[in-house]
Every structure is written in C-alpha cells, then in structure tokens.
Amino acid sequence: MQGTAIAQPNIALIKYWGKRDVALNLPAVGSISITLRDLHTRMHVTFDDALEADELTINGVPDQGMLPRLASCLDRVVEHDRRCARIDSQCNFPIAAGLASSASSFAALTVAAAHAAGKAMTTAELASLAGQASGSAARSLLGGFVELVNTDDGIAVETLCDADEWPLEVVVAITETGPKAVGSTEAMEISRKTSPFYANWVDQQAADLDTARAAIDDRDFDALARVAEHNCLKMHSIMWASRPPMVYWNAATMRCLETVRALQARDVAVFFTIDAGPQVKAVCLPEHAADVEGALRATPGVEDIMVSGLGPGARLESTP
Ligand code: DP6
C-alpha cells in the first residue's frame, strides 16, 4: 500500500495558457515543453487504515495548505472509497521559486499513488490524471521534449525527442522568491474572460506548435529560439491586456531579457522564456551554459541561479 516516485519540473517552450474545460482542467491549447534533469520532487505515498485523516509533509514539515489539492488528486487516482494517506514530499529546489513545482509534484504523486493503490496504469492514463490536478504536470510524465496534444475527449502526451538526442541546458535566473500575486489557474480564467488577445492566441497556437515541432525535428536552435520567445511574449501580452492586468515581471526580469539579447548579439545560442512569475529561464546549447550563467549571475537583481540539463519523465523508485 505504498509507492515512491520521482519527477522533474518541465519548462514550456510553447505555452499552455487558458482552459477549454475548467471542471476537467482541460487546456484550451496544446503545448511543448522540456523536462529538466537536476531539479526533482520525490513523493512517497502510503495508504494506511490506521490514519484518521490524510497527512502531508513537505521537506519534513507538516503542511495543510497544499493538502486538499493533493488529496483530490489521490481521490481521482483511487476512484472508490480510499484509505487515508500519508504523503511525504521532498523537493530539491525552492518551492516558492516559481519553477513549476506543481508539475513535478503532481506527476510524482500520481505515479506513486497509482502504485500504492495497486493500479497498473498506462502513461496516457497517468498523464490524464496528473493533468486534472495541474495541466503542466501531464508533461512531466515524459522526458526530453514533450508535446501535450488536445484530443476529442481529453489530452495525450508524446515525446518529440529524448533528452540525450538534443541535450540543451536551462539556466534559471531567480529574481524574486515570494508567492505570486495571482495563481496561474485563476490568471488563465481572467485572461480568457477579459483579454482582447485571448481568441487570437488560441487560433495561432497550432502554427506555433508546428514551427516548434519542425525546429525540434531539425535540431534547429535558432528556429526554436524565435518561436519560443514569440510564444512567450504573446502569452504575457494576453496577461498585460487582461482586466485587471497581470504583470508578473519585475525590473530584474527585464534586465535578464536585456542580458539574453546582449548574449545573442555575441552569437551565443540562447533564448529566454518566462512563465507566470518573474523568473527568467534561459535555454542554451551546452557549450554556452557557463557564459549564460555568468552573464545572468552578473545581472543586477538576480538573487540566485539554477542550472539543469534535460532529463527523463516521472518514474517509480524501487522501495527497499
Ligand atoms: C505559464 O499547469 O500551473 O507555466 O492547470 O491551472 O494548474 P493549472 O495551471 P499550470 O499552468 C502552467 C502555465 C505556464 C505555462 C506552461 O507551463 O505551459
């Protein structure tokens, strides 16, 4: 009645922003991401008759705030009356750093819980369950370059290219560690209901996905850079034009973009992407990682840097 699984966060290059079904948490658009290697969440789940309520610890500290969302995910995995669970989450990167800790957490939780419940599930079933908890979590089921595809009745995930087939590096510049003003679930709905750019975004996503898929097939870094930056700035434009406006950037975010532009002017193969927070993720070829890291570290307002290559999808860990 127990299972341990490990999963890494992923960074979207072609973003998921907006839902076509809020109740089922189905995305309005497909997306393409890269799964990281060096940051991870390990989830241990035990179903135990002796417990009177679900329990959660995050890095050894009891936590009530995240518990309802994790418990709902367990309900969906187990389906019928389930025993109470002890969930132990260990994360090797700052949870408040805006690095999609929910993606790695829900991917690992789904895999661990399915094992603990004795349910043999396909990757498609696990991705669908993880995606109901958090849309981006479905992509962390797989490694390398991953596409999330909207299907008639849900979602599917597929690997476009394995991590070792195109080994890029991601340098994350952390510019602020406080909680975000508006969570992405709520922000997406505000965008859908109020942004004049939202409908265009949904219409144009297929073209961006096609361009990115072709760039990945061809290992064409410049083409991937152009479409990823464009897609990211479109997503932020929707947020800026929403009512109320949602601006996740700070002054250091902008300075990091200038740093990336200066690196590009020196022919350094790097591009930026930014999610619903102020951190800048700089994606680069491995031979440029030290240069990119040094330049971002020297950028005023950058508090910390994390560097990761690309890695595998969520997997069970053998319990001793
Ligand atoms: C900007 O997966 O956190 O990071 O499904 O509401 O939990 P919910 O949203 P979430 O949104 C991620 C948004 C994004 C872009 C992306 O990862 O594709």
Side-chain angles (χ1 to χ4, degrees):
M1 297 307 276
Q2 53 177 305
T4 308
I6 186 161
Q8 281 84 241
N10 66 77
I11 307 288
L13 304 183
I14 303 299
K15 308 287 188 188
Y16 147 49
W17 194 254
K19 299 174 197 288
R20 71 175 196 271
D21 186 321
V22 174
L24 295 175
N25 203 40
L26 293 176
V29 291
S31 52
I32 291 179
S33 60
I34 42 180
T35 303
L36 302 183
R37 181 189 58 212
D38 303 310
L39 316 177
H40 65 250
T41 304
R42 177 179 280 105
M43 282 279 181
H44 183 73
V45 176
T46 311
F47 292 113
D48 187 345
D49 279 332
L51 291 172
E52 286 180 5
D54 294 325
E55 291 175 4
L56 168 67
T57 56
I58 299 180
N59 294 335
V61 180
D63 187 291
Q64 287 297 321
M66 282 289 285
L67 185 56
R69 224 172 140 197
L70 270 63
S72 301
C73 181
L74 295 184
D75 292 343
R76 284 189 292 267
V77 173
V78 177
E79 278 179 311
H80 304 294
D81 288 345
R82 70 163 170 87
R83 295 177 170 88
C84 289
R86 189 176 306 111
I87 309 167
D88 174 41
S89 168
Q90 300 280 340
C91 202
N92 78 340
F93 58 100
I95 290 168
L99 278 170
S101 60
S102 64
S104 51
S105 298
F106 285 112
L109 182 71
T110 304
V111 173
H115 182 79
K119 293 196 152 195
M121 289 192 187
T122 62
T123 302
E125 289 166 329
L126 292 165
S128 165
L129 286 163
Q132 285 178 56
S134 190
S136 54
R139 299 185 309 238
S140 277
L141 260 296
L142 297 176
F145 292 76
V146 179
E147 179 163 3
L148 185 149
V149 181
N150 265 332
T151 60
D152 287 345
D153 55 354
I155 56 157
V157 287
E158 51 195 68
T159 304
L160 298 176
C161 168
D162 282 327
D164 56 359
E165 290 179 314
W166 198 13
L168 303 182
E169 292 276 323
V170 182
V171 180
V172 182
I174 297 171
T175 64
E176 208 176 294
T177 48
K180 8 177 153 169
V182 189
S184 27
T185 307
E186 187 187 347
M188 283 185 205
E189 278 302 279
I190 295 174
S191 296
R192 183 177 67 81
K193 290 178 185 155
T194 69
S195 180
F197 302 153
Y198 182 80
N200 268 342
W201 157 259
V202 174
D203 285 351
Q204 289 173 16
Q205 188 80 341
D208 285 2
L209 288 165
D210 288 347
T211 306
R213 216 180 293 114
I216 293 164
D217 275 352
D218 297 344
R219 313 286 191 267
D220 183 339
F221 188 87
D222 289 345
L224 185 61
R226 278 192 300 273
V227 72
E229 288 190 351
H230 173 66
N231 189 267
C232 163
L233 293 175
K234 270 197 301 196
M235 180 185 78
H236 285 276
S237 305
I238 299 170
M239 300 175 187
W240 286 34
S242 294
R243 288 168 189 253
M246 293 170 291
V247 178
Y248 286 103
W249 302 9
N250 58 31
T253 312
M254 199 63 218
R255 277 190 221 108
C256 288
L257 297 200
E258 286 165 9
T259 297
V260 171
R261 287 284 180 254
L263 287 162
Q264 290 169 336
R266 293 201 280 115
D267 285 334
V268 173
V270 59
F271 66 85
F272 65 79
T273 188
I274 305 167
D275 293 302
Q279 330 305 1
V280 175
K281 290 113 187 187
V283 182
C284 63
L285 293 179
E287 56 269 36
H288 296 303
D291 208 355
V292 172
E293 181 183 349
L296 285 170
R297 238 182 233 292
T299 302
V302 171
E303 292 180 7
D304 202 1
I305 293 275
M306 286 187 275
V307 184
S308 175
L310 307 192
R315 62 227 171 263
L316 268 179
E317 271 202 337
S318 48
T319 338

